[in-house]
Amino acid sequence: MSGVFSHDYKAFPFMVFSASHIAMIVLFAAAAALLFLFRKVLYRLDQKFRLYMFLLLFTLELFYHLWLYYGGKWEISFTLPLQLCSISLVLCLLLLASKSKAVFQIVYFIGVTGALMALLTPELFLGFPHFRYFQFFITHNLIVWTCLYFVFVHQFRPTGKGLYQSFIFLNLCAAAALLVNKLTGGNYMFLSRKPENTSLLDYFGPYPYYIITLEIAALFLFSLLLLPFKMISKNKAGKAESA
């Protein structure tokens, strides 16, 4: 393979908070705002729009695996869907296909948390205009956009029960990832070592103590994601009482 589909990492270096990185963060914010502004229109186009999102997400992930395979880079130690965002991607596909509120409760917390962290501190080694650059950012954006779509368009709401379900699900996935890491020498969910790129984990202490910090951080971030909805419910309850 050559050009933008090559595995020449020196030809397309990626730099955190470079112009191309910031452009994708701006794209994320702009599209999120449009989902909110056009939520009523999207509700009328729901079936088609969900199909387009599903096909885009699925196709980008399929092409990523084909790119790895034909480049001789597909390895079981890092290409199984056991990273947090890979798990979230699969859940997003299920959510788009089924509109399941149970799936939403899980993917809202782990998907938004993981994808936002990946967008801000990506473990990415190929930059613009490489295929992997677009595939990485668009798929991670789509994970959050999917969650926001169901919040804005379908009025799905995360709950406290969903938070704990997500946390339990996350730990079950972590247990599976830890086992696979031992068998393959991989680093799924960064449970064996920190990512090579600069990331938030750099502030969480040395291995293995950062895993405990990650657990605490996950609960904290999940709570932050739930907080706006708790506040909205509280305000509505207050208005109802005063009416």
Side-chain angles (χ1 to χ4, degrees):
M1 292 188 179
S2 60
V4 296
F5 290 99
S6 73
H7 287 269
D8 185 356
Y9 293 86
K10 293 181 180 179
F12 303 94
F14 175 78
M15 292 182 63
V16 176
F17 296 120
S18 60
S20 59
H21 183 193
I22 293 172
M24 281 298 177
I25 295 174
V26 171
L27 172 65
F28 161 77
L34 290 173
L35 284 175
F36 178 76
L37 292 172
F38 292 97
R39 60 193 183 279
K40 293 181 180 179
V41 175
L42 292 172
Y43 184 79
R44 294 195 295 270
L45 301 173
D46 175 56
Q47 191 168 354
K48 286 185 178 180
F49 194 76
R50 282 189 294 111
L51 177 61
Y52 295 151
M53 291 180 74
F54 181 97
L55 290 175
L56 180 57
L57 195 56
F58 179 83
T59 302
L60 284 171
E61 188 66 9
L62 175 62
F63 282 2
Y64 169 62
H65 284 272
L66 291 174
W67 171 72
L68 288 172
Y69 179 78
Y70 286 107
K73 302 293 183 181
W74 199 98
E75 294 181 14
I76 197 170
S77 61
F78 75 93
T79 48
L80 295 177
L82 286 172
Q83 293 286 22
L84 186 58
C85 288
S86 298
I87 295 166
S88 299
L89 187 149
V90 173
L91 290 174
C92 281
L93 290 174
L94 290 174
L95 178 59
L96 288 166
S98 68
K99 295 199 295 186
S100 167
K101 290 185 177 180
V103 173
F104 169 81
Q105 289 296 330
I106 294 175
V107 75
Y108 173 79
F109 291 104
I110 69 170
V112 173
T113 299
L116 285 179
M117 286 181 65
L119 288 171
L120 293 173
T121 58
E123 190 189 25
L124 183 63
F125 304 97
L126 288 161
F128 180 87
H130 196 277
F131 157 75
R132 174 59 173 156
Y133 161 84
F134 288 104
Q135 185 273 338
F136 178 92
F137 280 111
I138 294 175
T139 52
H140 283 81
N141 280 342
L142 276 167
I143 289 171
V144 186
W145 290 338
T146 297
C147 295
L148 294 180
Y149 177 81
F150 280 88
V151 170
F152 297 153
V153 177
H154 290 285
Q155 302 294 303
F156 281 16
R157 295 292 181 261
T159 64
K161 182 180 178 181
L163 185 155
Y164 291 112
Q165 289 173 339
S166 297
F167 189 70
I168 293 169
F169 180 82
L170 177 62
N171 279 274
L172 290 174
C173 290
L178 188 62
L179 175 61
V180 174
N181 286 344
K182 295 292 184 183
L183 295 174
T184 66
N187 190 27
Y188 290 110
M189 297 181 74
F190 306 118
L191 295 176
S192 299
R193 56 190 176 276
K194 294 182 182 181
E196 295 181 26
N197 279 14
T198 301
S199 74
L200 295 175
L201 296 188
D202 294 334
Y203 304 97
F204 285 6
Y207 177 86
Y209 303 108
Y210 72 81
I211 297 174
I212 299 173
T213 312
L214 268 177
E215 292 271 13
I216 298 170
L219 272 177
F220 174 72
L221 292 172
F222 286 5
S223 299
L224 282 182
L225 289 174
L226 181 62
L227 183 60
F229 298 94
K230 287 287 188 182
M231 293 175 66
I232 291 170
S233 296
K234 190 175 182 180
N235 289 336
K236 286 183 177 179
K239 289 179 180 179
E241 289 178 2
S242 61

